[in-house]
Amino acid sequence: DIIISGGENVSSVEVEDVLTFANHKINLKKITYWEHVGTHMDAPNHFSEGSSCEKIPAEDLVCPLAVIDVKAKATEDPLALLTLEDVKVWEARHGPLPERCCVALNSGWAEHVNSPKFKSLDKNGELRQPAFHVEAIEYFLEERNVVGIAIDTLSFDNQRSPGSDSHYKWLGSERWGVENVNNLDDVPPVGATVVVGQPKIEGGTGGPNRIFALV
């Protein structure tokens, strides 16, 4: 099993001692966090009026994993996109995307999570990271039976899709996605199974996940 969770250390997670072993002979903590922090799910209702996270069927959270590597062009361009052409090159090598799979974009960005390169801020302080081209998203929806997407950056969109096109198109179709995954180099392009550990918080728009790839 390969854990493909990861993510940046962020201050938007707060841990407070409620009971301590020294004083109460039991430890209990209160944890407060934003839903979209670290390795986390975007449920459909994050960018639509669709389903909240507890309504996603469990069978959609255990599925074949297809990993598309765009590290070469991401090295040259922090705003590189996974395009429809990239998907078709992948399929020419590995066959059609598996039925009801999760497609993961491997840009190599996870290895930069503890360095300034992870955000690659431009001169205006704007984030630069690889992302999905909306044409690839449309292909997953219209030509293939894909149930989830994953990426090793903070977002499915970047400055080349300023209208959050991929978020709206994908999540608006009643599908889920996961951001800030890790260890995609340890997973084969095809043949693994992904297990997405999404807590069933009523009304949630997503939340932190621990994700496994079964190889």
Side-chain angles (χ1 to χ4, degrees):
D1 302 356
I2 298 172
I3 300 175
I4 61 172
S5 299
E8 196 176 17
N9 293 323
V10 291
S11 59
S12 50
V13 177
E14 299 177 357
V15 181
E16 174 187 349
D17 287 327
V18 177
L19 301 175
T20 64
F21 196 81
N23 293 326
H24 306 93
K25 298 302 180 185
I26 184 173
N27 286 311
L28 177 66
K29 299 179 186 294
K30 177 182 177 181
I31 301 175
T32 305
Y33 58 84
W34 295 89
E35 291 174 309
H36 300 271
V37 63
T39 300
H40 65 274
M41 170 181 282
D42 283 9
N45 67 332
H46 184 38
F47 271 73
S48 74
E49 294 295 329
S51 296
S52 47
C53 59
E54 85 281 5
K55 295 179 181 176
I56 299 172
E59 56 267 28
D60 286 353
L61 300 176
V62 181
C63 57
L65 179 64
V67 180
I68 302 179
D69 190 321
V70 297
K71 288 184 294 184
K73 65 179 179 179
T75 298
E76 301 295 326
D77 180 6
L79 291 174
L81 295 172
L82 186 155
T83 64
L84 178 56
E85 180 181 357
D86 294 321
V87 178
K88 292 192 172 182
V89 168
W90 187 96
E91 291 192 320
R93 295 173 181 167
H94 305 290
L97 290 168
E99 279 291 301
R100 301 187 62 75
C101 72
C102 171
V103 176
L105 185 163
N106 182 8
S107 70
W109 233 242
E111 68 182 68
H112 307 306
V113 70
N114 292 315
S115 76
K117 186 173 175 60
F118 188 70
K119 292 184 177 180
S120 290
L121 300 178
D122 64 17
K123 63 182 180 180
N124 297 315
E126 297 292 328
L127 186 74
R128 294 184 298 170
Q129 293 186 320
F132 285 94
H133 194 292
V134 71
E135 288 182 356
I137 294 294
E138 290 169 345
Y139 182 76
F140 300 157
L141 294 173
E142 297 168 8
E143 303 295 333
R144 296 291 182 262
N145 189 10
V146 177
V147 298
I149 58 173
I151 195 166
D152 56 358
T153 73
L154 289 168
S155 179
F156 306 131
D157 288 291
N158 64 23
Q159 294 180 31
R160 292 181 176 149
S161 49
S164 298
D165 298 342
S166 292
H167 273 88
Y168 281 110
K169 179 73 70 171
W170 185 254
L171 301 178
S173 71
E174 275 294 293
R175 290 168 172 82
W176 56 267
V178 179
E179 294 167 332
N180 279 343
V181 300
N182 194 15
N183 297 323
L184 288 173
D185 282 341
D186 296 332
V187 182
V190 67
T193 298
V194 67
V195 181
V196 179
Q198 173 58 46
K200 294 179 68 176
I201 298 175
E202 185 174 1
T205 70
N209 278 208
R210 196 172 191 192
I211 302 170
F212 295 86
L214 309 179
V215 180

